[in-house]
Amino acid sequence: MKYWDKRMETLPRAGIEALQLERLRATVSRALLTPFYKPLLEKAGVTGPESICSLADISKLPFTSKNDLRDAYPFGLLSCPRAELVRLHASSGTTGTPTVIYQTRADLDRWTDFLARSVTAPGAGPEDVFQNMITYGLFTGGLGMHYGAERAGMLVIPAGPGNVGRQLMLMKDFGTTTVHATPSFMLHLQSKMADEGVARSSLSLKRAYCGAEPYSEDTRRKIESMLGIDVYNSYGLSEMNGPGLAFECSFKDGMHVWEDGFLLEVIDPDTGLPVPDGERGELVFTILCRDAMPILRYRTHDLSSVIPGDCPCGRTHRRIARIMGRTDDMLIVNGVNVFPSQVEEVLMRMPEVGTNWLIVVEKEGSLDRLTVKTEVQPNMFADDSRPLNALRDRVREKLQASITIGARVELHEPGSLPISEGKAKRVLDTRPKL
Ligand code: AMP
Ligand code: ZN
């Protein structure tokens, strides 16, 4: 069994819980330094670490939502001087405003360690070549995983996403054994291998770390059997640093949440009360390992459950099941979060656009395709098609700027898109269900 930090990964539960309590108290102290949490905590009667006597006292703390982070944009959640920050990452907000996460040098060091732990858990190590086929830039998966794999001693190829031909060349020439990618990109890559003239036998690939978007056990098995590799699930979200929050070990039976850094709750999304282990609920996390920016009881909207019992790997950190869905309308398109409200915001700012619109998400091969269909004002359909074409380009550009990925744009005559009775149906997602 391979560990990165055996003592911490196998710490008895009592030890984990003692650490959590100590770190939760420190986190509350830091939260009290932020303009965002100070009034909320004081209102809840939490005046300092002394208000938290046991882990159960977490129920005194307020929940945090993506909208809260948006409202606190850009600096409302900082709990250290700006000069101490060394990195920021961002994810999409529910509208055009992104949610931004900051790290100090010590925070980055801790995050990198959780990632080194994660990439090691399935058995990889310094003998491995790691190709990171995920977006770099503001997305946490690129740089985060990069530094984690480097710390674990692997040779890291910062390939970034896309360009199957080049990915395969890198894999062949450098003997890549381990990759990090979205599951849909793995399927796409596999489907293009024959066209690219690359035989499986010319690759040294052993394993893939797949995350950033939901996928089923069947998809895992499909990638595994088509490529003859092992696929391990990786779960994270920017608000909790990104990847390195929960990761599968070599037993591939649920993801260990690194509980010395993240306090996990599984709640009934309607009542906010905890659900028993084994029962499905919304995952809620409190980060215990970040000085720059505390986030208390973050509502992920992701549905999962705690897997009861011990894992044969000896790790004492609890496991969560594969993500089973979401409680909100967030779409994940090729690994990128898209909220229908972001699309709405872009469209409704343009006077030429009508009021009826629809987002269509479908599979094109193994990848997702996003189309935004919108009605436009009647006067746009004149003999001269130039204004219409110009409008289409403008909508496309504005959408790209807001949601960060390309969308097809279709403009329609007023009254031509379907109208639903009652609540408007804004999303048609025809991708196969989990
Ligand atoms: P981001 O903040 O952009 O990294 O997006 C985080 C969201 O991506 C999570 O809240 C999940 O909805 C989704 N996600 C990340 N990893 C996985 C995974 N392994 N399985 C299912 N969904 C995932
Ligand atoms: Zn395990």
Side-chain angles (χ1 to χ4, degrees), residues 1 121 247-254 256 310-315 317 319:
M1 195 60 53
F247 217 88
E248 278 184 335
C249 64
S250 49
F251 289 92
K252 294 197 282 193
D253 185 18
H256 290 281
D310 297 331
C311 184
C313 75
R315 289 180 179 81
H317 300 242
R319 290 165 298 158

Side-chain angles (χ1 to χ4, degrees), residues 91 139 211-214 233-238 302 323 326 332 337:
S91 168
F139 180 57
E213 63 186 14
N233 200 0
S234 157
Y235 169 75
L237 48 144
S238 332
D302 290 320
I323 306 300
R326 288 195 49 96
I332 303 189
N337 302 350

Side-chain angles (χ1 to χ4, degrees), residues 1-257:
M1 195 60 53
K2 227 171 182 167
Y3 302 99
W4 173 252
D5 181 351
K6 185 167 184 196
R7 190 188 72 83
M8 198 50 91
E9 290 172 56
T10 58
L11 198 66
R13 287 301 306 171
I16 294 184
E17 284 170 17
L19 255 182
Q20 286 187 319
L21 180 58
E22 181 191 316
R23 292 180 180 171
L24 179 62
R25 298 174 102 208
T27 301
V28 165
S29 302
R30 295 198 78 88
L32 279 162
L33 301 174
T34 68
F36 175 78
Y37 281 122
K38 191 174 189 300
L40 287 178
L41 287 172
E42 283 173 355
K43 202 166 139 217
V46 177
T47 49
E50 65 287 349
S51 308
I52 306 295
C53 302
S54 70
L55 285 176
D57 282 341
I58 188 134
S59 63
K60 293 184 186 168
L61 305 180
F63 287 116
T64 307
S65 71
K66 213 176 204 12
N67 255 330
D68 292 332
L69 297 191
R70 205 185 130 230
D71 294 345
Y73 179 88
F75 290 117
L77 271 162
L78 264 197
S79 62
C80 71
R82 286 197 212 169
E84 285 178 23
L85 302 177
V86 296
R87 174 85 69 79
L88 73 78
H89 280 287
S91 168
S92 50
T94 46
T95 72
T97 312
T99 54
V100 180
I101 304 300
Y102 303 95
Q103 314 259 2
T104 65
R105 193 170 300 284
D107 295 339
L108 269 189
D109 188 53
R110 284 183 284 251
W111 179 27
T112 304
D113 233 50
F114 285 117
L115 276 159
R117 221 190 253 191
S118 303
V119 296
T120 305
E127 63 288 0
D128 283 292
V129 178
F130 183 90
Q131 193 162 320
N132 199 14
M133 305 194 290
I134 278 265
T135 312
Y136 278 66
L138 288 173
F139 180 57
T140 55
L143 285 175
M145 198 59 111
H146 180 109
Y147 285 113
E150 237 178 51
R151 181 164 298 182
M154 297 190 230
L155 167 59
V156 181
I157 308 177
N163 203 337
V164 169
R166 196 174 59 132
Q167 301 284 7
L168 290 168
M169 185 198 83
L170 291 168
M171 282 183 194
K172 233 166 56 180
D173 293 354
F174 300 104
T176 300
T177 60
T178 309
V179 292
H180 176 216
T182 61
S184 36
F185 188 70
M186 287 310 289
L187 289 169
H188 178 61
L189 183 107
Q190 194 280 331
S191 71
K192 296 283 179 212
M193 273 171 68
D195 294 353
E196 297 288 336
V198 175
R200 171 64 183 95
S201 56
S202 65
L203 304 181
S204 315
L205 206 58
K206 285 189 198 158
R207 57 181 87 81
Y209 299 158
C210 288
E213 63 186 14
Y215 60 115
S216 62
E217 214 35 64
D218 287 340
T219 301
R220 183 217 300 258
R221 275 195 289 271
K222 198 165 157 190
I223 302 171
E224 291 189 327
S225 67
M226 286 191 320
L227 282 166
I229 58 173
D230 285 300
V231 171
Y232 299 90
N233 200 0
S234 157
Y235 169 75
L237 48 144
S238 332
E239 292 78 4
M240 295 295 122
N241 289 341
L245 166 63
F247 217 88
E248 278 184 335
C249 64
S250 49
F251 289 92
K252 294 197 282 193
D253 185 18
M255 299 175 280
H256 290 281
V257 173

Side-chain angles (χ1 to χ4, degrees), residues 376 380-397 409 411:
V376 296
M380 293 300 295
F381 284 90
D383 294 339
D384 185 356
S385 61
R386 277 172 301 183
L388 203 60
N389 291 337
L391 177 62
R392 189 180 301 114
D393 289 345
R394 226 159 16 97
V395 174
R396 200 182 298 120
E397 277 163 28
V409 173
L411 303 182

